[in-house]
Amino acid sequence: MKMKKAASILFAASLTVAGLAACSTGNKEQSSGTDKNGVTTIEFWAAPNPTQQVYWKEVAEEFTKENPKIKVNVSPMKESPTSEASIQSAIAGGSAPTISENINRGFAAQLSESKALVALDELEGWDEVKESRNMTETMNGWEFADGHQYVLPIYSNAMLFGWRLDILKELGYNEPPKTYSEMLDVAEKLKAKYPDKYLWAKADLADPTAWKRWFDFFMLYDAASNGNKFVEGTKFTGEEKAGEQVLGLMDDLRKADALLTRQSKDPFESGLGIFVDVGPWTIPYWAEKFPELKFNETFTLAAPPVPDGMDTENVKTFADTKGLVIYASATKEQQKAAMTFINWVYSNPDNDLKWLEKTSLPPARDDLTTNDTFKAFFDKNPALQPYAAAVPNGIPPMDNSKYNDIQTFIGQHAFNPVVKGEKDPKTGWKDMQKAIEGALK
Amino acid sequence: MSTKQGRMGWLFASPYLIYALVFFLIPLVWSLFLSFTDWNLISPTFSFVGIENYTEALKSPGVQSAFWVTFKFMAVFVPLVVASSIVVALIVQGLPRFKGLFLIGFFLPYLASGVVSSLIVKGLLSYNSPVNEFLRNAWGLDIDWLGSPFAALFVVAVIIAWKFTGYYALILTSGFESIGTEIYEAAMIDGVSPWQRFWKITFPLLYPALFTVLILSIGVTFGIFTEVYQLTGGGPNFATNTWQMEIFTRAFSNLQAGYASAIAIIASVVTFISIFIIRKLLEMWGKRNGWS
């Protein structure tokens, strides 16, 4: 009887322990820094993208061979359901890594405001990184409102627009339009010849989700305003004229029945639409999945169109750019080791070349088009050349901790209703400005 | 019951009690605490803001839409899933063999990932999908499935109904099987038509199973997230913005954990009151049919 009771108690206790153990995330306890052998371990979270994970694993291994006193553990960043949410949970739960990539400027602003990031410019070795990687110019646009640098941009995807060159040629054009009136001419001719086709077929145009504005509104706005800052600190500084011109273009395209805001499968690839925002990551994807799309035959790439009368050279555009950050929760030794690792990676342009070869994402350096290290790559990949050339014209995302609200308001109050014909551009801009100013207070 | 037996009872209940404490009670208290602060969980400092998060939330269009959208989902999803699960249960009930196998088949969507099913539906309903091409060419129907408010809500409700139908059919099948055959035999002798048999005998006698299914399905409408997140992002124009979607956006996109906690507490209160009222109404309906 006693045995039975004891067994029952043991069973119930085991169940409890097993249940709680099952709830464990399995994360190892974060290293406190340096072990007794003098080895400092740093945790590196790579973007949830297999090619980037492979890259970081390889460079981390090479680094540790040359620097046995620093061990870099590379693991993929979780996306549950987004990488930002995973980072937030990790910081809150005390399991943040030492260093991670895949951080955009807006999210970095949120994190830095919460004192979760280390100001990189305050760490020893920062100036050497900027110099050895040849990124001083690029970094100028990355300074945060408090004067510090919290992110080291790894790549800078100055976004371009893709045009279906084959269809443009059928309409009598040999190159993409550069101004709004030229674009509207194309739209008119397109609808006359192909009533079932659209100039821009993209469901996101009518979707208020904040990040979607980077790939429509901000590409056009950065071009129309010559890279004007939308928000500075707690002040709305958007340029009314440029904003209304962008919204006016969308309104005109809608009136010409040239916009399709319905969810559609491969609209550009199938020719349903002839204009689309394209990042460099799309080029290898097209080469694999749509081999019939040939650069400068079927499609071509161009800077965003600008309002009539503007200079069509060196047009600014939104740069989808992400980078590395070092977390404040890491120990001083780990932060120092992380900076040593960064210095080692970026002191050798071959590591950027390896990055380029693996990911096709242009490294954020000033000498991408002039450094011989990259010449052979771009000669082999002509469709990526326009991206390298556009790096100096890329405008990074705003560094405001309320970027999510601000960009949602752009969609909700201006861009989406104008695209749907529910508001005129002037009213849209005014409503949006009012909402943003309210949020910035 | 002796003290020893009482202790044993507590001991055996302890795994669940500890689970409930860790995953329900502590988070609830934590959430309540957060809801009175402006903390984003990662900042080293925060301040107490009293009921400001609650007043802000109640005025917010996102929260107001979440409130109404939940009831709209309820109005579409609950009848749809109850009707479809009754149909499935009736079909399975009428099968001469392999009832269990068919029930497992219908149950499988319940195990399917919401992300995968949403992506499949997104593809099926895209503008240039074969389905839409056919509707346009054959009948001139051009439906913006995910871009118009009602259609988007309907599509999400259908996906969730598809997912839950097999599960609820299982519950209803056991309900059908609990109805004695002698009642039907007596009804046949009295010349009751199949229509009358269903509405006057089966339906009222199915009450306990139906009660469970109705309460469960109503509860589901307060927790919709994955399908909305994948398909509509809460749009168009808040038409599918659920409580979970609003909480997620505020907590993880805007890093407003305190404010999101206030929304979560409001959502819990709304859920509790709604289910309480609906439960009372269902019990009244049950009493009228002789169920006490």
Side-chain angles (χ1 to χ4, degrees), chain A residues 114 262-263 265 404-405, chain B residues 40 127-128 142-144 254:
Chain A
S114 300
R262 302 267 297 275
Q263 195 64 245
K265 191 173 181 291
N404 211 66
D405 269 340
Chain B
N40 62 6
Y127 176 79
N128 46 0
D142 191 11
I143 305 166
D144 189 358
N254 292 23

Side-chain angles (χ1 to χ4, degrees), chain A residues 5 8-9 11-13 15-16 19-20 23 80-82 84-89 91-92 107 110-111 113-116 196 198 206-209 260-267 270 272 401 403-405 408 412 420 422, chain B residues 4 8 11-12 14-16 18-19 22-23 40-45 122-123 125-129 132 136 141-147 225 229-233 235-238 248-257:
Chain A
K5 265 189 185 173
S8 309
I9 292 168
F11 178 64
L15 270 181
T16 311
L20 290 174
C23 305
S80 49
T82 62
E84 285 85 1
S86 301
I87 290 169
Q88 193 194 354
S89 309
I91 296 171
F107 185 50
Q110 288 178 324
L111 294 177
E113 205 177 270
S114 300
K115 314 270 179 243
D196 292 339
Y198 296 85
D207 184 337
T209 307
L260 178 70
T261 56
R262 302 267 297 275
Q263 195 64 245
S264 48
K265 191 173 181 291
D266 305 322
S270 65
L272 177 66
S401 60
Y403 81 99
N404 211 66
D405 269 340
T408 303
Q412 261 172 14
K420 288 192 257 182
E422 294 164 359
Chain B
K4 263 191 178 176
M8 286 302 284
L11 188 68
F12 280 102
S14 61
Y16 179 75
I18 293 170
Y19 171 80
V22 173
F23 293 104
N40 62 6
L41 291 180
I42 54 178
S43 180
T45 55
K122 202 172 195 173
L125 299 181
S126 68
Y127 176 79
N128 46 0
S129 71
N132 275 321
R136 268 197 304 276
L141 278 174
D142 191 11
I143 305 166
D144 189 358
W145 294 102
L146 300 173
F225 175 70
Y229 178 71
Q230 289 295 330
L231 286 174
T232 64
N237 207 10
F238 293 120
F248 169 79
T249 309
R250 290 291 158 187
F252 296 108
S253 300
N254 292 23
L255 298 193
Q256 294 173 292

